[in-house]
Amino acid sequence: MGDQSRSDQIRNEWFAVASVADVRPATLYPFELLGERYVLVAGADGTVIAAADTCPHRGAQLSLGTFDGARLQCPYHGWQFDTSGTCVHRPAHPDVAVPAACALHTVAVRAAFGLWWVCVGSEPRNLPVYDAFERHPGLTVAFGPQTLSTSGPRAVENFLDVAHFPFVHDTYLGEWPHTEVRDYEVTVDASGLEATNVVAWQPRPGPTATEGGDVAYVYSVTHPACAVLTKVPSEANGGELHGFSMMIVTSPVTETSCRVWMLTTIRDPAGDLEGYRAFNEVIFAQDTPIVESQRPQRLPLDPAAEVHQRADRLSLAYRRWLADRGARYGTC
Ligand code: FES
Ligand SMILES: [Fe+2]
């Protein structure tokens, strides 16, 4: 990896790093973000900190050491750290006070949408907006994390693309010969991008549908690594209860690999959340070989680097928005 992340605004973005359910008390959860290794230290007392997974002493990987829920011990010279990151014991000098500089290099961490998010920069920016999560408590299901051999921005752009439905998701999200993409509007303001009236013909537009028909989506982007789609409820497609929202959450491991979660939030308290998770798994598996085949793996921001069609209005707006935000990591 180059050193692009150092000068990039990307360091001030929050990135999802783990599902909350996967980080159990008294465990370590190592992960890689922006080409660097980190670890979540989940204390037995319920605290969670995020730190560089590199010992401040001689750079050994801390998560190769031991952790009893209260003390993390480095595998190399046995320095011990408490669950706030303070170094509390150096076995080679048991009777000498430990300087504050021996502490772990911690970074900001917070929980949102059922995921742990980390910001490694000094001026954290906004989390993505995903209103559906709070509006429909308990009705979100997550699929992931899944690793993809491509940049996060390529994966997000794929999520924003409806023209591929009848090809990559034939009989699932689209069906030949219904290939035409009708015009839709894209607006850009201070909070991000929104595309409205994105209409796709789908073979099963609602849970009670007996034949194919149109579905309308709204897409929004308020964070460089995430995007939200909302299926606009309609009487023909099962009514209000059968609208739903989805958020793709990408986490950049390097500029050309990422981890991905797909969150789905439904409206119907009696809905089949596991069914949505399983459906996302199928759709994701259909997308994977295509997005991993794209070259370059980084998303080109120069409009002249690839050729476009009218259906690409949203993806072009996303590329411009990334450039304007200074989010260059995973782009070229
Ligand atoms: S490298 Fe960790 S204690 Fe020396
Ligand atoms: Fe797809």
Side-chain angles (χ1 to χ4, degrees):
M1 185 201 89
D3 212 24
Q4 189 165 3
S5 77
R6 287 278 166 202
S7 58
D8 196 315
Q9 278 299 321
I10 208 77
R11 295 184 73 79
N12 289 325
E13 303 287 358
W14 290 99
F15 291 109
V17 298
S19 302
V20 167
D22 288 344
V23 181
R24 305 205 171 277
T27 62
L28 301 176
Y29 187 97
F31 60 94
E32 200 178 341
L33 180 68
L34 300 171
E36 293 167 1
R37 64 188 187 197
Y38 296 91
V39 60
L40 294 180
V41 180
D45 55 1
T47 56
V48 173
I49 61 168
D53 192 7
T54 297
C55 184
H57 178 223
R58 286 294 180 269
Q61 187 169 1
L62 291 161
S63 59
L64 297 177
T66 56
F67 181 52
D68 65 3
R71 289 206 182 182
L72 167 59
Q73 178 171 293
C74 177
Y76 199 179
H77 310 98
W79 286 19
Q80 292 182 356
F81 306 87
D82 67 16
T83 54
S84 73
T86 302
C87 182
V88 292
H89 184 57
R90 295 183 301 171
H93 310 287
D95 299 324
V96 179
V98 184
C102 297
L104 299 183
H105 298 303
T106 56
V107 294
V109 63
R110 63 186 292 188
F113 316 124
L115 305 174
W116 285 109
W117 300 71
V118 158
C119 177
V120 302
S122 52
E123 296 169 51
R125 304 178 85 172
N126 58 293
L127 283 169
V129 175
Y130 189 51
D131 295 339
F133 185 85
E134 285 88 24
R135 215 180 305 130
H136 305 284
L139 294 182
T140 296
V141 68
F143 167 65
Q146 292 283 312
T147 300
L148 277 181
S149 294
T150 194
S151 61
R154 280 282 195 200
V156 171
E157 190 179 87
N158 172 64
F159 182 85
L160 299 174
D161 181 290
V162 296
H164 77 280
F165 285 0
F167 302 95
V168 178
H169 309 296
D170 184 28
T171 74
Y172 288 82
L173 299 179
E175 196 168 78
W176 195 88
H178 304 277
T179 57
E180 186 174 12
V181 178
R182 283 156 274 179
D183 277 349
Y184 55 87
E185 294 83 50
V186 179
T187 55
V188 187
D189 65 20
S191 64
L193 304 176
E194 186 170 82
T196 51
N197 206 27
V198 181
V199 177
W201 189 97
Q202 299 202 318
R204 193 162 173 266
T208 57
T210 53
E211 55 185 24
D214 287 341
V215 176
Y217 292 108
V218 173
Y219 287 83
S220 65
V221 179
T222 57
H223 182 288
C226 305
V228 172
L229 78 73
T230 299
K231 179 186 178 185
V232 181
S234 77
E235 276 318 309
N237 297 337
E240 187 63 36
L241 277 182
H242 294 292
F244 61 83
S245 299
M246 290 179 58
M247 177 159 69
I248 184 172
V249 177
T250 69
S251 184
V253 175
T254 66
E255 292 209 71
T256 56
S257 65
C258 62
R259 293 185 301 145
V260 182
W261 285 263
M262 301 295 308
L263 308 186
T264 305
T265 304
I266 63 173
R267 309 280 186 269
D268 182 357
D272 176 12
L273 275 175
E274 171 53 27
Y276 279 90
R277 198 206 63 77
F279 188 74
N280 279 333
E281 187 169 358
V282 171
I283 298 299
F284 192 89
Q286 293 171 339
D287 281 315
T288 295
I290 303 300
V291 295
E292 290 190 336
S293 80
Q294 288 178 279
R295 295 293 179 275
Q297 288 172 295
R298 299 174 203 209
L299 186 71
L301 298 190
D302 176 359
E306 293 183 327
V307 290
H308 314 286
Q309 57 183 2
R310 205 166 58 193
D312 301 327
R313 178 170 295 176
L314 178 54
S315 62
L316 277 167
Y318 172 59
R319 292 177 184 203
R320 267 195 305 276
W321 184 77
L322 285 180
D324 290 348
R325 192 173 167 107
R328 298 300 177 100
Y329 196 82
T331 71
C332 59

